[in-house]
Amino acid sequence: MTTSPEVGADLNHATHSSQSKGSYSLITLGCPKNLVDSERMLGLLNLDGYDFTPQPEGADFVIVNTCGFLAAAREESLAAIREMEQLKREGRLRGIIVAGCMVERQRESLLSKCPGIDQLVGVFGRDEITQAADWLIGGLNEQRTIFRPASSVPLSDTNRMRITPNHLAYLKIAEGCDRLCTFCSIPLMRGKHASKSVDQVVTEARQLAADGARELNLVAQDLTYYGIDLDGRPQLAKLLGRLEQVDGVDWIRLMYLYPMYMTDELIDLVARSPKVLPYLDIPLQHINDAMLRRMSRRVNRAEIERLLEQLRERIEGLVLRTTMIVGFPGETEEQFEELVDFVRRQRFERLGVFAYSREPDTPSDRLNGHLPEEVREARRGRLLEVQQEIAFAWNQSQIGRQRDVLIDSDIPGEKHAHVGRSCAEAPEIDGVIYVTGENLRPGDLVPCEIVAAEGYDLVAVAVGEPKPRTCSPAPSSKDSLLNVLPP
């Protein structure tokens, strides 16, 4: 997904010297973890005296923060870069800085593919974005790349300039991954797993709360592995206990939970917490034991089913999101049917399906039994059809129920009409709830009654007054971000 802050977006500028060093724009692609990197680069540039402008036309330079995970994502990144190259050739843009995962993966070869690029900044050179900008503005073309080795200490994500809605934010608690799943290229770009300290994460959470965020979406390549590199044991439950105490935060959502290290302590905390949402994103990828071994997932079907049973029994109102990969090398029709049957019986509230993508330099690329694209896509379509029936039925079951809904935006041109989400909908990836209600504004958490279902979305009517935040912290020089946005 491409994110580029639009004209009128709630994105304020940092205070810097009265004389601007130049203007810049941003295109950011890929996952929320990449979005956090973009927000950090925006913050550093603004602190250094550069002015953000929503559109690249007329800017001194644009940053394209790329995704390199799958071939389709790389093609999207290349298309964005080439669009910026065209603006540059037409004299409507001075320079191009390309950053992020695709840069880390392809390195200098990108300069030959896209000769209009002025600077390349790798994943671990992110905090030197101002150096790249200074070189571009100063016409210093001798040095065109900034690559740094992966650090054993995660980069700080303080002093961000956020481009998400003011009331929600992503909080990255770790970098990299130690899993080495055979299909995954993340370790090639993001390195080994490195957890932030509990205190560091809590400091960043306080900044985000002071900046208006009432929903924190915790992200990492693997949340349940958090803390193992610090003292040898998983510490996600400990971290959540600290985050629950951050004033101003009402919702804490957990994204990317690997099925290993889902401890009893963690399950109990989610079950009893007033802030940690009963929404768990647990990518499973498959259920057949042979496929799980070929994927190097290090869990088997029995362990997965036992975990899902525990979660359903112990967490009231649980909403489960997962992802599956179909058409993996060697997947037989019988193994695929086993997966289809598993999905039918588990009835996941949320499920995404990927057709296997052959990725260079990954172990699965060297496996035998690669399937034709038409087989992979047909299996993806079939599993999505099965899941659609499940998702639509779940939405129908919500009619007549009351849920707290966090208002994300108003609907332009419509009176008393808004778009929001309950605890059951993660931003950007799940459906939404269309809400009718007077005197509501983005960031309000309001009791609603679900009155209708429209495909993957719901329709609701506000039935109560917006709920106050757990506390409304006053921003301070210590805790506030660059942009303390208006309510």
Side-chain angles (χ1 to χ4, degrees):
M1 180 188 69
T2 304
T3 304
S4 183
E6 299 179 359
V7 175
D10 282 337
L11 189 152
N12 292 350
H13 296 178
T15 301
H16 52 63
S17 62
S18 57
Q19 185 173 1
S20 172
K21 296 177 69 174
S23 62
Y24 69 97
S25 188
L26 168 75
I27 298 171
T28 181
L29 303 106
C31 67
K33 298 174 285 293
N34 216 37
L35 185 142
V36 172
D37 289 341
S38 290
E39 293 180 339
R40 170 67 170 173
M41 288 190 286
L42 288 174
L44 293 173
L45 286 165
N46 271 32
L47 281 175
D48 200 50
Y50 287 95
D51 287 325
F52 174 82
T53 182
Q55 301 299 332
E57 291 89 344
D60 287 308
F61 62 92
V62 64
I63 301 169
V64 182
N65 195 13
T66 60
C67 177
F69 183 46
L70 298 174
R74 293 192 294 276
E75 286 301 317
E76 183 183 18
S77 295
L78 282 171
I81 295 168
R82 286 167 177 154
E83 183 180 351
M84 295 303 103
E85 286 184 302
Q86 182 62 32
L87 289 180
K88 183 179 175 183
R89 285 192 294 269
E90 295 171 357
R92 294 191 286 159
L93 175 67
R94 179 174 172 184
I96 303 169
I97 299 176
V98 180
C101 288
M102 189 171 75
V103 173
E104 193 69 34
R105 189 169 184 179
Q106 298 189 357
R107 302 218 162 202
E108 285 82 357
S109 66
L110 265 178
L111 295 175
S112 58
K113 291 179 183 178
C114 302
I117 294 173
D118 295 280
Q119 294 287 332
L120 292 177
V121 179
V123 167
F124 302 102
R126 179 199 71 177
D127 284 1
E128 297 174 62
I129 186 65
T130 57
Q131 181 68 72
D134 289 347
W135 286 340
L136 190 157
I137 293 295
L140 304 176
N141 299 320
E142 295 83 2
Q143 177 65 45
R144 299 178 64 190
T145 64
I146 298 178
F147 291 105
R148 298 290 180 260
S151 172
S152 59
V153 179
L155 299 174
S156 170
D157 294 315
T158 56
N159 295 326
R160 288 153 56 182
M161 191 170 81
R162 292 199 291 120
I163 55 179
T164 56
N166 199 35
H167 55 275
L168 72 91
Y170 293 98
L171 178 58
K172 183 162 44 169
I173 68 171
E175 188 58 89
C177 189
D178 288 352
R179 292 294 179 189
L180 302 179
C181 300
T182 58
F183 54 81
C184 186
S185 59
I186 292 297
L188 301 174
M189 298 175 286
R190 294 276 180 174
K192 293 180 67 62
H193 180 97
S195 302
K196 294 177 181 177
S197 70
V198 171
D199 287 342
Q200 183 179 358
V201 176
V202 171
T203 295
E204 293 179 15
R206 286 174 177 157
Q207 277 198 342
L208 294 166
D211 193 43
R214 105 184 261 186
E215 175 185 0
L216 296 182
N217 294 275
L218 268 60
V219 295
Q221 299 305 139
D222 179 2
L223 287 185
T224 50
Y225 200 77
Y226 173 80
I228 289 179
D229 55 319
L230 299 178
D231 72 354
R233 61 188 180 88
Q235 295 189 41
L236 182 58
K238 175 184 175 181
L239 174 64
L240 292 173
R242 289 282 303 278
L243 291 176
E244 285 182 307
Q245 301 171 33
V246 175
D247 287 339
V249 174
D250 292 294
W251 285 3
I252 301 172
R253 190 184 301 273
L254 305 180
M255 310 294 294
Y256 315 116
L257 292 148
Y258 198 87
M260 290 178 70
Y261 303 114
M262 289 287 294
T263 63
D264 284 340
E265 182 185 14
L266 176 59
I267 296 171
D268 287 343
L269 185 144
V270 175
R272 69 171 187 270
S273 175
K275 291 189 176 185
V276 180
L277 300 178
Y279 176 107
L280 300 179
D281 175 20
I282 308 177
L284 297 177
Q285 312 304 5
H286 217 284
I287 197 57
N288 174 267
D289 282 338
M291 285 293 98
L292 291 169
R293 285 193 297 272
R294 282 172 75 86
M295 292 178 176
S296 192
R297 294 293 288 170
R298 293 164 50 189
V299 291
N300 59 38
R301 175 169 185 154
E303 291 166 336
I304 290 171
E305 291 183 323
R306 187 161 53 248
L307 171 63
L308 297 178
E309 182 179 359
Q310 287 182 333
L311 295 174
R312 294 289 193 194
E313 286 180 352
R314 294 165 63 179
I315 302 175
E316 184 179 357
L318 178 65
V319 172
L320 279 175
R321 161 168 278 282
T322 191
T323 54
M324 300 296 181
I325 297 174
V326 296
F328 191 78
E331 183 190 56
T332 66
E333 187 67 31
E334 291 75 17
Q335 290 166 337
F336 171 67
E337 289 297 334
E338 181 182 347
L339 175 60
V340 171
D341 180 67
F342 171 75
V343 169
R344 278 202 183 103
R345 289 188 298 103
Q346 287 293 332
R347 301 192 70 80
F348 295 101
E349 289 80 6
R350 313 283 185 235
L351 183 142
V353 184
F354 292 94
Y356 170 74
S357 173
R358 191 167 187 169
E359 291 298 308
D361 302 319
T362 59
S364 65
D365 188 46
R366 300 187 292 272
L367 292 174
N368 56 14
H370 285 271
L371 302 176
E373 181 179 2
E374 57 268 25
V375 173
R376 289 179 274 136
E377 290 298 334
R379 290 180 181 179
R380 177 176 182 268
R382 170 118 185 276
L383 190 55
L384 283 174
E385 286 180 3
V386 170
Q387 176 59 25
Q388 184 182 73
E389 293 181 7
I390 296 168
F392 285 8
W394 187 84
N395 268 7
Q396 288 291 330
S397 74
Q398 300 306 297
I399 296 174
R401 298 192 180 190
Q402 286 197 13
R403 286 189 173 274
D404 288 343
V405 176
L406 185 61
I407 303 298
D408 282 333
S409 63
D410 301 327
I411 298 178
E414 298 288 335
K415 192 174 183 181
H416 309 313
H418 316 274
V419 180
R421 295 169 294 105
S422 72
C423 67
E425 292 87 26
E428 300 294 334
I429 58 174
D430 295 326
V432 299
I433 301 178
Y434 296 102
V435 177
T436 300
E438 296 185 17
N439 302 318
L440 298 180
R441 60 183 183 178
D444 282 346
L445 186 61
V446 59
C448 294
E449 180 179 342
I450 308 299
V451 297
E454 295 183 353
Y456 291 102
D457 302 322
L458 295 169
V459 180
V461 175
V463 295
E465 296 297 317
K467 298 184 175 183
R469 293 179 68 178
T470 54
C471 181
S472 296
S476 68
S477 59
K478 177 181 178 181
D479 286 338
S480 61
L481 294 184
L482 294 177
N483 56 322
V484 179
L485 301 179

